[in-house]
Amino acid sequence: MIGELALIAAALFAGAAIVINVAEQPARLSLADGPMLLEWQNSYNRAAPMQGGLALAFFILGCIAAWQTKDMRWLAGAILMLANWPYTLFVIKPTNDRLHAIRPEQADASSRAMIVSWGYLHAVRSGLSLVACVAYLWAMH
């Protein structure tokens, strides 16, 4: 039962991450520079605490499933979910910090380029969570 819950949770996380890449990011890029930056800042401030907590919770669920079943494929999925934390802290955070330091009225082509780059960086988070889902599916069979 915990394994199924881990899979459902990871799929929800992956879905939310993918929506950012396929819907929110393109919509944000259609805005002028100032509103685009403001939208990114507001969206990020709301999403970051949720995604960080969920990645940790889903890691724990995967670890419990691995312990209960003695199947390390659950652990592989759990580690992939948790990998979002160091990836975000060490790879994405410098861009996040630079984007948060810009006031919307100062936004220009360089801040737009950073947001475009951020979208590609975020796509890795989407990929990690998708691969975690695949690992969980594999463990269920």
Side-chain angles (χ1 to χ4, degrees):
M1 178 71 174
I2 290 292
E4 290 84 358
L5 184 57
L7 173 61
I8 291 167
L12 289 170
F13 184 96
I18 291 166
V19 163
I20 290 169
N21 286 109
V22 302
E24 186 176 344
Q25 179 75 348
R28 144 185 329 129
L29 292 174
S30 73
L31 300 171
D33 293 342
M36 175 195 58
L37 177 63
L38 182 61
E39 191 284 332
W40 181 89
Q41 290 169 337
N42 289 332
S43 176
Y44 184 86
N45 290 341
R46 286 180 176 90
M50 176 203 60
Q51 287 187 339
L54 290 177
L56 180 60
F58 305 156
F59 165 75
I60 292 168
L61 287 172
C63 287
I64 293 170
W67 176 72
Q68 285 181 340
T69 64
K70 309 297 187 251
D71 187 338
M72 291 300 107
R73 294 176 294 181
W74 290 108
L75 185 60
I79 290 168
L80 285 162
M81 286 305 298
L82 191 63
N84 280 292
W85 273 37
Y87 177 75
T88 299
L89 289 173
F90 297 115
V91 178
I92 300 178
K93 188 176 184 309
T95 300
N96 294 346
D97 292 346
R98 287 193 303 273
L99 287 167
H100 274 107
I102 303 168
R103 292 193 322 257
E105 60 273 8
Q106 296 173 317
D108 59 13
S110 66
S111 56
R112 177 173 291 277
M114 277 191 276
I115 290 176
V116 168
S117 175
W118 177 91
Y120 294 120
L121 294 171
H122 185 271
V124 172
R125 292 178 47 128
S126 299
L128 285 169
S129 56
L130 271 177
V131 176
C133 287
V134 169
Y136 288 163
L137 280 169
W138 181 36
M140 290 179 70
H141 290 82

